[in-house]
Amino acid sequence: GVVTSDDEDGLYKFVEGLKKEGKIRHIGFSTHGSAEVIMRMINSEKFEYVNIHKHFFGDYHAAGTPDTMGGQGNAACVKRALELDMGVFQISPFDKGGKLYRPSATVAAAIGPELSPIAFAALHSWKTQKIHTASVGFARPSDLDEVIEAARLYGDEKSDELLKAAEGKLNEIAIDKLGKDWFEKGLLNVPSCYNSSTDGQSLGQMLWLHNCLTAYGMYEFSSDRYRMLEGTKWTKGKSFEENVKKNFNAGNPGRSYDASVDITEALKDHFDPELARVKIAECHELLTKGKKYTEEEKADKGWKQAYNLTTWEEFPGEAISVSNVLLNRMGLKDVGPNKKAAKEAMKMRNSVRNFSSLDSGDS
């Protein structure tokens, strides 16, 4: 591939040169790619660490994509990286790993009451997947409470029992809701969006989101992820290759369901192509951005939210966030707010620091 090429003017040779000069110590990669691409990068043995999505509830863009080992998702990629003694850093375990700060009632009930969904996700990452580092996003000090609790539990023998019980209960729910055959094989043998038979559709991701919705009632999470796919443009009349090159975002590859595309070839190796076809269409029907549900309708469908830990907004009523301010300061254009908002963001940070100091007893 382009990244791993040994061409003298290539990207890898450039960063390798920086390492030889002592300007950097390690070379790694971060990815939202399909499992097969990630596995190829890992097996190149050119990298010392990987930033990757590997979560209990599914592996974001790698979910439902072939891992070259007969499975799907990033489990085999993480295993292989660990075999090669690579550092493994988990991207967004509490947001892209299931929006666990606003969990569904089904998820919270299955995991609780002695573990929170966030603590569960952290322990699953460290203990079951053997991942070294999990990233944590926070807007205020208390957002770290559940992760700190997970770290405290890590060395407690009781945590193994709690973790296994929660994993077992969640798997039981999925088998009951999806059926054993679908639970075991539903995401296998589905090509990634980079395969021309899909015409750019993220079929595996749609099947994964349908699973999350059906088994665990994760409506908000599933709709957020599907609407990202809906944001990918696709021009009829242009070739598959032209569309991929022009319209695929490396951080969000693939597009949403297109009923006009024949996906027979794409699903030919699936154990139940017709059922997969139905679920893909249903995913679009249930999650498309034009579809609205009342809270009563969500509850009737089993999509009720347990609670919401985002107890305050950075800018109530405004489409501005502190993260956008930070992105703007990093030089990423067209994402940041105005000077007034930047000033407000600084005031907010100072307020958080002041309250934190008061809580800790500092003067």
Side-chain angles (χ1 to χ4, degrees):
V2 174
V3 175
T4 56
S5 169
D6 285 321
D7 291 346
E8 287 301 320
D9 60 349
L11 178 61
Y12 187 82
K13 281 293 184 182
F14 173 74
V15 293
E16 191 177 43
L18 295 178
K19 184 178 179 181
K20 288 177 180 177
E21 293 170 15
K23 294 179 178 178
I24 60 174
R25 290 194 297 170
H26 303 285
I27 301 173
F29 70 97
S30 184
T31 177
H32 280 201
S34 65
E36 55 199 330
V37 170
I38 297 170
M39 184 65 83
R40 186 165 66 244
M41 295 276 284
I42 290 170
N43 279 331
S44 73
E45 299 190 35
K46 291 177 177 286
F47 302 99
E48 295 158 278
Y49 67 89
V50 56
N51 299 349
I52 194 169
H53 283 282
K54 179 71 204 98
H55 315 293
F56 179 87
F57 294 103
D59 306 337
Y60 203 18
H61 289 289
T65 64
D67 63 8
T68 75
M69 304 290 289
Q72 61 82 32
N74 283 333
C77 295
V78 169
K79 183 175 183 290
R80 180 59 178 150
L82 293 173
E83 288 172 351
L84 294 173
D85 198 28
M86 292 173 64
V88 180
F89 178 99
Q90 184 185 35
I91 308 172
S92 191
F94 313 125
D95 183 38
K96 305 306 186 293
K99 210 163 189 177
L100 300 177
Y101 49 88
R102 299 157 70 115
S104 73
T106 299
V107 167
I111 292 171
E114 295 184 78
L115 278 182
S116 71
I118 286 176
F120 164 78
L123 289 171
H124 173 78
S125 166
W126 300 328
K127 285 179 171 284
T128 303
Q129 298 297 333
K130 311 299 183 185
I131 290 172
H132 303 121
T133 307
S135 61
V136 185
F138 64 99
R140 58 198 186 283
S142 61
D143 287 345
L144 295 172
D145 289 351
E146 291 170 291
V147 185
I148 292 171
E149 174 67 5
R152 185 191 68 78
L153 283 169
Y154 182 82
D156 190 330
E157 290 182 4
K158 183 182 178 182
S159 67
D160 292 331
E161 180 183 334
L162 292 173
L163 178 61
K164 288 178 182 177
E167 290 173 340
K169 180 63 174 175
L170 288 165
N171 285 334
E172 286 175 11
I173 291 170
I175 291 170
D176 179 60
K177 296 287 187 180
L178 303 173
K180 191 171 187 294
D181 280 350
W182 186 270
F183 174 76
E184 294 177 347
K185 299 182 285 188
L187 300 186
L188 299 179
N189 300 319
V190 181
S192 81
C193 60
Y194 289 101
N195 187 300
S196 60
S197 67
T198 68
D199 202 35
Q201 297 171 92
S202 288
L203 303 178
Q205 192 171 356
M206 292 178 220
L207 292 173
W208 163 56
L209 294 177
H210 194 283
N211 284 358
C212 290
L213 194 60
T214 304
Y216 301 123
M218 298 166 69
Y219 171 73
E220 186 179 13
F221 171 73
S222 300
S223 62
D224 284 353
R225 304 279 62 79
Y226 187 70
R227 290 170 192 185
M228 291 291 288
L229 296 179
E230 289 187 301
T232 300
K233 297 178 181 178
W234 198 262
T235 306
K236 296 290 185 181
K238 289 189 178 295
S239 70
F240 170 77
E241 291 76 14
E242 288 174 314
N243 269 299
V244 167
K245 183 176 181 179
K246 181 178 179 180
N247 296 319
F248 271 19
N249 180 327
N252 183 51
R255 66 178 179 124
S256 60
Y257 178 63
D258 183 344
S260 71
V261 177
D262 183 356
I263 55 175
T264 302
E265 178 65 20
L267 297 177
K268 66 180 175 61
D269 294 325
H270 194 275
F271 89 100
D272 193 337
E274 189 51 41
L275 182 55
R277 192 191 312 274
V278 169
K279 287 177 179 282
I280 288 166
E282 282 182 352
C283 176
H284 175 76
E285 180 184 348
L286 294 170
L287 299 176
T288 186
K289 66 181 68 174
K291 193 78 169 181
K292 305 292 183 185
Y293 300 95
T294 66
E295 292 305 313
E296 287 184 359
E297 287 173 329
K298 291 177 188 176
D300 287 343
K301 292 179 179 291
W303 301 346
K304 191 175 180 180
Q305 188 180 92
Y307 54 80
N308 180 2
L309 292 180
T310 52
T311 55
W312 52 266
E313 296 178 64
E314 292 161 333
F315 294 91
E318 299 291 336
I320 298 171
S321 71
V322 170
S323 59
N324 276 349
V325 176
L326 293 173
L327 288 170
N328 185 257
R329 289 182 177 183
M330 289 166 61
L332 301 176
K333 303 302 180 185
D334 301 319
V335 295
N338 54 36
K339 291 182 179 179
K340 181 180 178 182
K343 185 177 179 181
E344 291 299 316
M346 182 58 69
K347 285 171 61 179
M348 183 178 303
R349 291 190 190 89
N350 289 335
S351 295
V352 171
R353 292 191 188 102
N354 288 337
F355 280 120
S356 180
S357 296
L358 289 172
D359 289 341
S360 64
D362 295 338
S363 58

